[in-house]
């Protein structure tokens, strides 16, 4: 019989078969040990959290090659503007990174991860090399800072830190601040090297809408192999607070789990302890030893989820950057029809969900953009 199955290509050309299920069966996945997916480091003993006292010591010691980056941004219902608040006051020596402008402008959704050339151009303008100590913070302690941390990590920076508590804590402690658009030079820089600005986006850390569509049946079936975390506030996740953008539905991706980003922090916007973070994910039913994808409204607050996972040693985490802004702008696919098309290939070592590129014509309600293939080896 003719079989059609989901699969994606890893950058090294190894096929990474995705989630599959027969009727009544749970999706399964066999991950290649050669897969390029995920941050494959163990981080139990390392941390990207930098305390305010540590940053003060770094500045007092006049450590070389330090770049302090202000990523001020505010929620949509907050009238303040990041660029204006930066001018009013920031950590002495900090430069402003405009997350709203360093984006992929070719995609019609906000805050999309920029292409290499856009990120490199901005890094060169700000003289931020991938070998520098890059300290990220924002004015709320848990919004723009984690997003900027993720971006620099994604593009290959070697030493990126997130200032715990951000400007709120720094200011409350009475530490050095300044105003205006000409920050004080607080750290001397070594001469540029040939690879200083050789940033390159790790596209394996980002999943797209096709990928999300491919795993939703697995999420609905409550598979224990993959978890999709939505970092929005409960009222947005549950659909009780209407979306204000025209054409954007209320609700959430089927099978996703709500972990509001604010629950990762204390009331003072400090990152919770590793034990508290582990317990938080456990209490929500997320197995952190499995693959975890984070999303939110525009791909910003989900970076707090990713940052928390990174601190507790998780090695497989990914960002759905289009987030609800993309998913919620499209009609919900007919997942019952998708389930009816699934077949269980019991004679395969790797079990794949089958589909065709003309799925929309078969009444599934969405064009999954698939391809036909025959596994000749098997």
């Amino acid at each position: 019989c003719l079989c059609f199955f989901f699969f994606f290509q890893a950058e090294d050309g190894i096929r990474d078969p995705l989630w599959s299920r027969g009727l009544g069966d749970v999706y399964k996945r066999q991950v290649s040990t050669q897969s390029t997916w995920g941050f494959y480091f163990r981080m139990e003993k390392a941390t990207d959290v930098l305390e305010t006292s540590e940053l003060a010591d770094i500045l007092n010691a006049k450590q070389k090659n330090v770049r302090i980056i202000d990523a001020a941004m505010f929620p949509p219902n907050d009238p303040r503007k990041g660029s204006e608040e930066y001018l009013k006051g920031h950590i002495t020596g900090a430069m402003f990174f405009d997350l709203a402008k360093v984006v992929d402008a070719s995609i019609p959704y906000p805050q999309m991860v920029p292409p290499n050339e856009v990120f490199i151009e901005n890094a060169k303008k700000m003289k931020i090399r991938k070998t520098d100590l890059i300290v990220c913070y924002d004015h709320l302690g848990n919004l723009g800072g984690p997003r900027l941390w993720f971006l620099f990590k994604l593009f290959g920076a070697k030493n990126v830190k997130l200032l715990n508590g951000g400007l709120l804590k720094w200011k409350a402690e009475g530490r050095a601040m300044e105003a205006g658009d000409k920050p004080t030079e607080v750290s001397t820089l070594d001469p540029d090297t040939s690879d200083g600005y050789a940033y390159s986006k790790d596209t394996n850390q980002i999943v797209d809408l096709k990928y999300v569509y491919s795993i939703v049946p697995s999420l609905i079936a409550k598979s224990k192999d993959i978890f999709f975390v939505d970092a929005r506030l409960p009222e947005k996740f549950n659909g009780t607070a209407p979306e204000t953008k025209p054409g954007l539905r209320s609700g959430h991706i089927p099978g996703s789990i709500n972990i509001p980003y604010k629950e990762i922090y204390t009331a003072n916007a400090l990152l919770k302890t590793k034990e508290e973070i582990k317990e938080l994910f456990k209490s929500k039913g997320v197995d952190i030893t499995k693959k975890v994808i984070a999303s939110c409204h525009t791909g910003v607050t989900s970076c707090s989820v990713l940052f928390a996972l990174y601190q507790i040693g998780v090695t497989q985490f990914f960002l759905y950057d289009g987030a609800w802004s993309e998913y919620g702008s499209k009609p919900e696919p007919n997942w019952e029809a998708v389930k009816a098309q699934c077949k269980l290939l019991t004679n395969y070592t790797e079990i794949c969900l089958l589909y065709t590129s003309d799925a929309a014509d078969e009444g599934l309600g969405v064009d999954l953009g698939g391809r036909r293939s025959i596994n000749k080896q098997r």
Side-chain angles (χ1 to χ4, degrees):
C1 66
L2 181 63
C3 298
F4 311 105
F5 52 96
F6 276 125
F7 71 90
F8 287 79
Q9 293 292 121
E11 282 192 345
D12 56 4
I14 298 169
R15 199 180 71 233
D16 187 14
L18 296 185
W19 317 99
S20 60
R21 74 189 296 264
L23 298 179
D25 292 286
V26 177
Y27 279 66
K28 297 180 181 179
R29 181 176 189 242
Q30 178 174 326
V31 180
S32 167
T33 56
Q34 302 177 68
S35 173
T36 58
W37 290 84
F39 282 127
Y40 283 96
F41 332 116
R42 297 306 300 168
M43 293 299 301
E44 285 87 349
K45 295 183 180 179
T47 178
D48 279 2
V49 176
L50 187 71
E51 299 298 337
T52 51
S53 59
E54 294 175 311
L55 178 57
D57 290 342
I58 288 171
L59 295 178
N60 289 336
K62 300 187 182 302
Q63 183 173 318
K64 296 172 65 176
N65 304 315
V66 178
R67 313 305 278 158
I68 307 172
I69 316 298
D70 188 312
M73 67 185 312
F74 298 90
N77 59 351
D78 191 320
R80 290 177 292 177
K81 303 295 184 183
S83 56
E84 296 174 358
E85 294 304 310
Y86 167 80
L87 294 177
K88 292 178 182 178
H90 52 263
I91 294 174
T92 299
M95 300 176 289
F96 180 64
F97 191 106
D98 196 338
L99 287 168
K101 293 182 178 180
V102 186
V103 298
D104 189 339
S106 69
I107 303 176
Y109 305 107
Q111 306 293 344
M112 296 298 290
V113 171
N116 285 333
E117 59 272 17
V118 172
F119 190 85
I120 291 172
E121 178 185 7
N122 197 73
K124 284 183 176 179
K125 185 189 302 182
M126 300 178 71
K127 295 184 179 180
I128 308 172
R129 290 87 53 89
K130 46 185 303 194
T131 53
D132 293 334
L133 169 59
I134 303 170
V135 181
C136 308
Y137 78 91
D138 63 62
H139 291 219
L140 300 178
N142 54 21
L143 199 60
R147 172 69 175 188
L148 189 60
W149 167 86
F150 177 77
L151 284 181
F152 273 103
K153 283 292 215 186
L154 184 69
F155 280 88
K158 306 297 184 184
N159 192 11
V160 191
K161 304 290 184 182
L162 179 64
L163 187 65
N164 199 15
L167 189 67
L168 286 175
K169 187 170 186 289
W170 184 270
K171 188 175 182 179
E173 294 170 345
R175 301 190 186 276
M177 292 182 59
E178 61 184 355
D181 62 353
K182 292 180 170 50
T184 303
E185 290 291 343
V186 294
S187 178
T188 57
L189 301 179
D190 289 332
D192 289 344
T193 59
S194 59
D195 65 342
Y197 298 103
Y199 289 101
S200 181
K201 178 167 57 177
D202 181 3
T203 56
N204 288 322
Q205 288 302 129
I206 307 292
V207 303
D208 60 13
L209 183 62
K210 285 183 186 178
Y211 183 88
V212 173
Y213 280 153
S214 77
I215 65 170
V216 166
S218 179
L219 299 176
I220 294 173
K222 300 190 182 302
S223 166
K224 299 303 181 183
D225 292 312
I226 187 168
F227 297 86
F228 195 103
V229 174
D230 189 322
R232 292 178 297 159
L233 299 179
E235 56 269 27
K236 289 292 186 180
F237 180 84
N238 296 325
T240 55
E243 298 290 349
T244 57
K245 182 180 178 181
L248 190 62
R249 296 184 285 116
S250 297
H252 58 269
I253 294 172
S256 58
I257 297 171
N258 188 213
I259 302 182
Y261 76 100
K262 290 186 177 181
E263 293 188 17
I264 292 168
Y265 303 93
T266 68
N268 296 323
L270 299 176
L271 187 71
K272 290 182 177 179
T273 66
K274 291 183 178 181
E275 291 70 24
E276 289 173 323
I277 293 171
K278 289 178 181 178
E279 181 56 35
L280 172 62
F281 283 100
K282 182 180 179 181
S283 68
K284 301 287 186 174
V286 177
D287 184 349
I288 61 174
T289 67
K290 305 297 183 180
K291 188 173 185 177
V292 181
I293 299 171
S295 180
C296 55
H297 186 77
T298 62
V300 174
T301 57
S302 51
C303 291
S304 282
V305 173
L306 301 181
F307 184 77
L309 289 169
Y310 191 78
Q311 303 316 305
I312 59 175
V314 173
T315 58
Q316 292 192 78
F317 59 84
F318 310 89
L319 176 69
Y320 171 37
D321 202 34
W324 187 252
S325 292
E326 179 181 38
Y327 191 98
S329 68
K330 302 180 183 301
E332 190 71 60
N334 184 348
W335 295 116
E336 289 300 316
V338 172
K339 286 165 60 178
Q341 297 294 319
C342 295
K343 305 294 182 183
L344 181 63
L345 306 180
T346 55
N347 60 331
Y348 269 37
T349 303
E350 294 172 338
I351 303 175
C352 304
L353 176 65
L354 311 185
Y355 79 113
T356 74
S357 59
D358 53 358
D361 297 331
E362 297 179 3
L364 305 189
V366 60
D367 181 357
L368 295 176
R371 69 180 88 176
R372 299 184 180 187
S373 181
I374 298 176
N375 190 327
K376 295 181 180 179
Q377 292 181 343
R378 292 191 173 92

